[in-house]
Amino acid sequence: MSKKVLIGPSSFGTINKNPIKKLKDSGFEIIENPHGRKIDKSELLNLLTDDVVGLIAGLETLDDEVLTKSSLKVISRVGSGISNIDKESLKKNNISLFYIPDGPTQSVAELTIANIINLLRKTFKMNAELKLGNWYREYGNELSEKTVLIVGFGKIGQKVGSILKAIGSEIIFTDPFVKSLPGSGFRKVDLHDGIILADIIVLHASGNEVLLEKKEFDLMKKGVIICNPARGELINEKDLIFAIKNDIIGGIWLDTFATEPYKGVLVNYEKVICTSHLSSYTYECREKMENIAVDNLISNF
């Protein structure tokens, strides 16, 4: 009997068929994502039949119930974040996990910088006005000498910090897992202390704990810029809308949402740039991560 592998990410293999070919050449039967989007928990339970022993994973819910009911032997994550996976359950069920710590770093960092500048210079707004036939200009701001708080200072956060520091921004960060970095030019702060100081707040944290809600928005400078390419759950949407309506937020880019595909009201606000979870969607990044994910899975059977 051939070994079956479920492919979680709906876009897997669309830019390069080599990862799929590698799996087939190694004797795996492939079960593709039939939904064209992130697989939800109930769907995942149905797809992980007894003969599915491998999973090429995205951000599916891999909690204890899912892992215990499955027959998985290897999970290979296409990406760096693994907060959606129950680590204790992996041990209990003898499932091996592999991921790609450096995979999306460059891609996510570049798009984050691009959207910070987009929001500061309001190019999204001028683009919309010009397409309506209006020759409209509005003053923006430069990045140099702005204080940027980076929440979550792993590989992506540090990459973003390095680029912004080179531009001339002051970088402060908060991360319980990263110690102070003397001599780096990066200063560690408490979350609330950082929010008070920040002109720009960038979220690169993992997990689904709410980090920004009313008490945090109340501390922010008027006109603060926020970017969230990390996790949709990190921001309380109701409190965010209040902050937008009351001009606390000068502009925000959201690439992740608690429920995807996103169909909520944030798309209706001019100050909000919404994108469809595409921070790692470059040809270079996807091709590299998909090949590494497949290699990790094949070599561990």
Side-chain angles (χ1 to χ4, degrees):
M1 182 183 294
S2 63
K3 299 166 288 188
K4 290 187 178 181
V5 173
L6 173 64
I7 306 293
S10 59
S11 61
F12 190 90
T14 57
I15 63 169
N16 189 314
K17 300 299 182 184
N18 189 53
I20 298 290
K21 184 177 184 301
K22 283 183 183 180
L23 285 170
K24 290 180 177 178
D25 289 348
S26 297
F28 289 96
E29 181 182 340
I30 294 171
I31 309 299
E32 295 186 354
N33 179 337
H35 302 290
R37 53 164 170 74
K38 177 182 167 184
I39 302 170
D40 69 28
K41 182 177 175 177
S42 62
E43 293 164 344
L44 188 60
L45 285 166
N46 289 329
L47 288 166
L48 289 174
T49 53
D50 290 344
D51 52 355
V52 176
V53 294
L55 173 64
I56 299 292
L59 288 170
E60 303 81 19
T61 298
L62 295 168
D63 60 14
D64 183 57
E65 180 185 5
V66 171
L67 296 177
T68 300
K69 288 182 176 179
S70 79
S71 297
L72 289 171
K73 302 300 180 189
V74 177
I75 297 172
S76 186
R77 168 84 169 92
V78 186
S80 59
I82 53 173
S83 59
N84 56 311
I85 304 172
D86 187 321
K87 317 306 182 299
E88 291 303 316
S89 186
L90 290 173
K91 296 176 184 177
K92 181 180 77 174
N93 292 289
N94 197 28
I95 301 170
S96 298
L97 171 66
F98 301 90
Y99 61 103
I100 310 166
D102 288 319
T105 300
Q106 187 70 26
S107 179
V108 177
E110 288 185 8
L111 192 59
T112 300
I113 301 298
N115 277 286
I116 292 173
I117 295 172
N118 191 359
L119 289 164
L120 283 172
R121 299 298 297 271
K122 304 176 185 175
T123 51
F124 66 98
K125 184 175 181 179
M126 261 59 83
N127 171 64
E129 289 288 343
L130 194 57
K131 287 182 176 179
L132 292 172
N134 302 320
W135 186 257
Y136 174 79
R137 292 185 292 178
E138 187 173 327
Y139 286 105
N141 294 99
E142 297 176 0
L143 254 174
S144 179
E145 299 183 11
K146 296 295 182 294
T147 299
V148 182
L149 171 65
I150 301 177
V151 182
F153 211 57
K155 292 180 183 296
I156 297 174
Q158 290 181 38
K159 184 71 173 182
V160 169
S162 296
I163 297 170
L164 292 174
K165 183 171 177 285
I167 292 172
S169 303
E170 179 186 354
I171 308 302
I172 54 179
F173 75 91
T174 183
D175 190 319
F177 304 107
V178 178
K179 297 179 180 179
S180 296
L181 303 170
S184 67
F186 304 137
R187 179 163 60 94
K188 185 172 183 178
V189 295
D190 173 78
L191 175 62
H192 285 177
D193 291 341
I195 286 172
I196 292 169
L197 295 170
D199 301 301
I200 300 162
I201 299 171
V202 183
L203 302 183
H204 287 301
S206 60
N208 54 15
E209 178 186 355
V210 175
L211 296 179
L212 301 183
E213 53 188 335
K214 187 179 185 303
K215 62 180 178 291
E216 284 76 34
F217 289 121
D218 288 344
L219 295 172
M220 293 178 187
K221 291 182 179 180
K222 190 177 180 65
V224 66
I225 296 294
I226 300 175
C227 290
N228 182 18
R231 297 286 186 272
E233 294 87 351
L234 299 178
I235 302 178
N236 180 298
E237 184 170 317
K238 180 181 176 182
D239 293 341
L240 171 60
I241 291 169
F242 178 85
I244 292 167
K245 287 181 176 179
N246 287 273
D247 294 324
I248 295 169
I249 306 296
I252 183 167
W253 167 52
L254 301 169
D255 189 45
T256 56
F257 303 88
T259 300
E260 297 178 357
Y262 181 74
K263 299 184 184 298
V265 299
L266 285 167
V267 298
N268 299 320
Y269 293 94
E270 182 185 65
K271 293 179 181 179
V272 183
I273 299 174
C274 296
T275 51
S276 50
H277 205 148
L278 49 73
S279 290
S280 66
Y281 269 51
T282 63
Y283 288 106
E284 297 88 348
C285 178
R286 299 309 297 187
E287 184 172 355
K288 177 178 70 174
M289 290 201 303
E290 289 178 9
N291 275 292
I292 293 173
V294 164
D295 290 343
N296 283 341
L297 186 139
I298 291 170
S299 62
N300 287 281
F301 265 100

